[in-house]
Amino acid sequence: MSQTALGNIIKKESIPTIPTLERICDAFGISLAQFFAGDGMRPDLTDEQEEILETWDNLNADERRILMNFVKSLKK
């Protein structure tokens, strides 16, 4: 997808097709359901994923930073 095409979508100068939306979602690693979900909705998540996000929501900024550092260290 060209930057011009994406820019036109962002500026609301064009409406993306479903295949274009699917490519955008793929780039962000989300489903179309997640793309269209309203605030606070988390469709298509496993129980474990939901638990992780609920726990994240209850952490303060310092705890989130510590957790992110730990998670990133697991990927190495």
Side-chain angles (χ1 to χ4, degrees):
M1 166 177 279
S2 71
Q3 287 184 339
T4 302
L6 186 57
N8 288 338
I9 292 169
I10 292 170
K11 293 186 284 185
K12 299 180 183 178
E13 293 176 358
S14 67
I15 298 172
T17 63
I18 295 297
T20 298
L21 285 176
E22 288 173 332
R23 285 187 299 206
I24 293 169
C25 289
D26 286 344
F28 285 105
I30 62 172
S31 68
L32 279 172
Q34 290 168 315
F35 180 83
F36 285 109
D39 288 341
M41 294 182 61
R42 297 178 176 140
D44 300 337
L45 297 179
T46 66
D47 290 342
E48 276 184 327
Q49 291 169 325
E50 188 67 40
E51 182 181 1
I52 289 169
L53 291 174
E54 287 174 14
T55 301
W56 174 267
D57 289 341
N58 292 317
L59 298 176
N60 65 38
D62 287 335
E63 293 167 332
R64 288 180 179 185
R65 181 184 47 75
I66 292 167
L67 180 59
M68 283 304 300
N69 287 335
F70 173 72
V71 170
K72 288 177 183 177
S73 74
L74 294 174
K75 292 174 32 177
K76 294 180 181 174

